[in-house]
Amino acid sequence: MAMLLRKVWESVSHRSSSCSSSSTNSANQSSYTESTASLGDFDRIPIDVMLQIVKLVGPKDAARLSVVCRSWRSIVSDNRLWIFFLQNYHDLWDSVFFSETHLRSGYPIQTYAGDITNELSFMRIYGQREQVPGCVIIDGGSGYCKFGWSKYACPSGRSATFLEFGNIESPMYSRLRHFFATIYSRMQVRPSAQPIVVSLPICHYDDTECAKASRRQLKEAMYSALFDMNAPAVCAINQATLALYAARRTSGIAVNIGFQVTSVVPILNGKVMRKVGVEVIGVGALKVTGFLREQMQQNNINFESLYTVRTLKEKLCYVAADYEAELAKYTQASLEVQGEGWFTLSKERFKTGEVLFQPCIAGVRAMGLHQAVALCMDHCHAAELTADDSWYKTVVLSGGTACLPGLAERLEKELHGLLPESICNGTRVIPPPYGADTAWFGAKLISNVSYFTSLDMQTGSRFLEHLSWTMVCDKETI
């Protein structure tokens, strides 16, 4: 193999020198043209073996081979080679493939027809992704904020949003300015250095003029705060859509179990279908954690902080497939919490998650999670937005509490019990693809897509013009 690689580079240097000499000696032009059509000793090697050889030289040197001759260009432009490089030098291949085939096309999102791998040049995509400058990503939920650099494998930091948000009585602009300044300070990044991708909470749920005005006011305050801090460009996308992207979907129902409420959001081709209806349940992570705290207090289990309760919820609690059957089982388990010792829970383990399906046991008068999702699916079916009604049959969960084991399976089971077969047939519930950081990873997919090279970092005058389905602004348009 080493000898073959040496011959590769001998061929590179020979063809390169031939190319330079041909530019000064027209008499040898015809002979050079003949030589560029041949690989010499490599002509006898099968193409699949050649691809294996070129894989060993790496992406940069493989790209250099494309300038030697037409034969080399044909080999190193093979999509199989660059898919290999994308798999090994970038994120997971399924993330790259989804981003490049679904998120580059703009709104309404259109996928490529036919054989996608033959229609796209992954050699070009690889080169464009290498030039993507990277962005600051801020996923600011109602409870906890995740922030980090788009080139990193995961968020670099987390903080409680309400601790960073400034005085709640101050104007929205001032609170947002304080919030973003705090995050930039924690990341040790100058606001003017990189563009920013920020998630928007699903708020003001309905489609009334008043709700539209409230959403518009929030966006304008956010853009003003960031551009006044000299951010070169801003891309803002709602959290539900980002969670769907993280699951490699552009259509479906996003269920976000937030800090105080749970939202059930129908999304078609990246657009929130507010006219169909966004369902909201008055039960969120805070209520679920609070119910576990009440149970522990009733059973004389002493603890010092809500952090301990939250840790026990995340490590020991789960959702029962059959609540009544689970009551008769032995479910005791123990966990050591650093600084507080050992804790033992029994029926509290599955009663905590049951609040999502039976809010009444926590004293909340609201529909259960399964009922809200079923209602949303029924509305989607009745709306007949597309000829194919399978778009709403993918349900993606997001939020820290959505990571409770057994939740996705229980929800899927309950949906099949509530809905007629014509609606629920083919329904699939997907657990949070990246846990509590699901929306952050959805933003990462967008910020690393190859078309981010369209950003002009010198003037900040353009930002992802092709991604017209996002709420995109720059300093000249706000």
Side-chain angles (χ1 to χ4, degrees):
M1 186 61 71
M3 183 174 68
L4 284 173
L5 289 175
R6 277 199 301 272
K7 287 192 174 184
V8 169
W9 286 113
E10 287 172 5
S11 176
V12 171
S13 59
H14 173 69
R15 298 294 192 272
S16 299
S17 60
S18 298
C19 181
S20 59
S21 63
S22 66
S23 62
T24 58
N25 189 353
S26 58
N28 294 331
Q29 183 65 42
S30 59
S31 62
Y32 169 71
T33 302
E34 285 183 12
S35 69
T36 59
S38 171
L39 293 175
D41 292 339
F42 293 96
D43 281 335
R44 298 186 297 273
I45 301 176
I47 182 65
D48 287 341
V49 177
M50 287 295 297
L51 285 175
Q52 295 299 322
I53 294 173
V54 180
K55 282 179 183 178
L56 298 176
V57 305
K60 291 183 179 179
D61 292 333
R64 292 191 184 113
L65 288 172
S66 66
V67 302
V68 176
C69 67
R70 287 191 300 272
S71 297
W72 275 115
R73 189 180 307 120
S74 174
I75 291 172
V76 301
S77 298
D78 193 303
N79 271 341
R80 288 174 293 172
L81 176 66
W82 292 95
I83 287 173
F84 169 82
F85 289 142
L86 283 164
Q87 286 175 312
N88 288 273
Y89 291 86
H90 283 273
D91 299 331
L92 295 175
W93 165 242
D94 57 345
S95 298
V96 176
F97 188 78
F98 171 77
S99 299
E100 300 298 338
T101 56
H102 289 76
L103 303 184
R104 318 196 309 161
S105 307
Y107 175 78
I109 295 175
Q110 300 176 8
T111 57
Y112 289 82
D115 189 349
I116 298 174
T117 17
N118 289 333
E119 294 182 18
L120 296 179
S121 168
F122 287 97
M123 178 178 179
R124 182 177 180 185
I125 286 173
Y126 183 96
Q128 289 176 326
R129 289 179 76 94
E130 282 291 301
Q131 297 175 46
V132 169
C135 298
V136 170
I137 299 176
I138 300 180
D139 172 28
S142 57
Y144 295 90
C145 170
K146 282 76 68 177
F147 53 87
W149 185 246
S150 65
K151 293 292 188 179
Y152 290 173
C154 61
S156 57
R158 297 170 177 82
S159 64
T161 303
F162 54 84
L163 294 179
E164 312 288 2
F165 213 55
N167 185 351
I168 196 65
E169 296 180 357
S170 60
M172 177 62 71
Y173 172 87
S174 300
R175 282 182 279 160
L176 287 168
R177 180 76 180 255
H178 181 274
F179 172 70
F180 289 124
T182 303
I183 299 302
Y184 275 122
S185 175
R186 284 173 174 263
M187 292 184 64
Q188 297 182 343
V189 174
R190 289 183 295 107
S192 60
Q194 287 89 20
I196 178 172
V197 178
V198 59
S199 71
L200 287 170
I202 288 290
C203 57
H204 312 295
Y205 305 93
D206 53 28
D207 201 45
T208 63
E209 291 302 318
C210 180
K212 290 178 182 178
S214 297
R215 291 195 295 269
R216 194 180 306 115
Q217 185 180 22
L218 172 62
K219 297 170 199 171
E220 289 175 355
M222 182 178 292
Y223 290 137
S224 296
L226 286 167
F227 288 133
D228 287 350
M229 297 171 68
N230 293 320
V234 180
C235 178
I237 313 176
N238 74 74
Q239 291 169 333
T241 302
L242 291 176
L244 207 61
Y245 291 164
R248 283 64 153 173
R249 301 289 192 279
T250 58
S251 297
I253 294 177
V255 177
N256 178 49
I257 303 178
F259 194 60
Q260 297 190 34
V261 299
T262 295
S263 58
V264 181
V265 186
I267 297 171
L268 177 60
N269 293 331
K271 180 177 175 59
V272 176
M273 296 287 100
R274 295 183 186 274
K275 290 183 179 180
V276 172
V278 177
E279 305 298 333
V280 182
I281 309 170
V283 176
L286 190 60
K287 176 59 70 175
V288 173
T289 306
F291 183 63
L292 176 58
R293 178 183 60 186
E294 292 172 8
Q295 292 181 91
M296 291 173 65
Q297 290 171 338
Q298 290 172 5
N299 295 329
N300 297 318
I301 302 175
N302 300 316
F303 54 89
E304 294 184 5
S305 68
L306 195 60
Y307 170 79
T308 300
V309 181
R310 193 168 137 236
T311 302
L312 293 171
K313 180 191 77 172
E314 294 172 353
K315 301 294 184 181
L316 290 182
C317 292
Y318 64 94
V319 175
D322 186 328
Y323 180 67
E324 297 299 329
E326 205 74 12
L327 288 169
K329 295 180 181 179
Y330 178 81
T331 56
Q332 192 174 96
S334 299
L335 178 74
E336 183 179 17
V337 178
Q338 189 174 8
E340 288 208 48
W342 285 89
F343 291 85
T344 301
L345 300 181
S346 182
K347 298 191 187 306
E348 303 92 348
R349 296 181 62 204
F350 61 89
K351 282 186 174 181
T352 299
E354 192 64 22
V355 171
L356 295 169
F357 296 90
Q358 301 186 58
C360 58
I361 66 177
V364 179
R365 297 184 63 182
M367 71 175 83
L369 176 62
H370 57 307
Q371 295 166 327
V373 176
L375 183 60
C376 184
M377 292 180 68
D378 187 55
H379 288 165
C380 293
H381 177 75
E384 296 182 344
L385 298 177
T386 63
D388 181 9
D389 66 354
S390 63
W391 69 269
Y392 59 81
K393 294 186 178 182
T394 297
V395 180
V396 178
L397 304 179
S398 63
T401 301
C403 298
L404 287 173
L407 177 58
E409 293 81 2
R410 170 71 179 278
L411 178 57
E412 192 169 310
K413 173 188 172 183
E414 295 288 349
L415 290 175
H416 281 274
L418 281 175
L419 293 168
E421 187 175 350
S422 59
I423 298 179
C424 70
N425 188 34
T427 296
R428 181 188 176 198
V429 180
I430 301 176
Y434 296 95
D437 302 332
T438 294
W440 190 92
F441 275 92
K444 176 181 166 70
L445 289 185
I446 292 173
S447 58
N448 285 336
V449 76
S450 59
Y451 269 35
F452 255 73
T453 52
S454 63
L455 172 64
D456 184 347
M457 288 298 291
Q458 299 299 319
T459 64
S461 60
R462 291 179 176 81
F463 188 58
L464 297 184
E465 291 181 346
H466 65 291
L467 293 179
S468 57
W469 44 265
T470 63
M471 292 169 291
V472 176
C473 284
D474 55 48
K475 292 181 180 179
E476 298 178 359
T477 59
I478 190 68

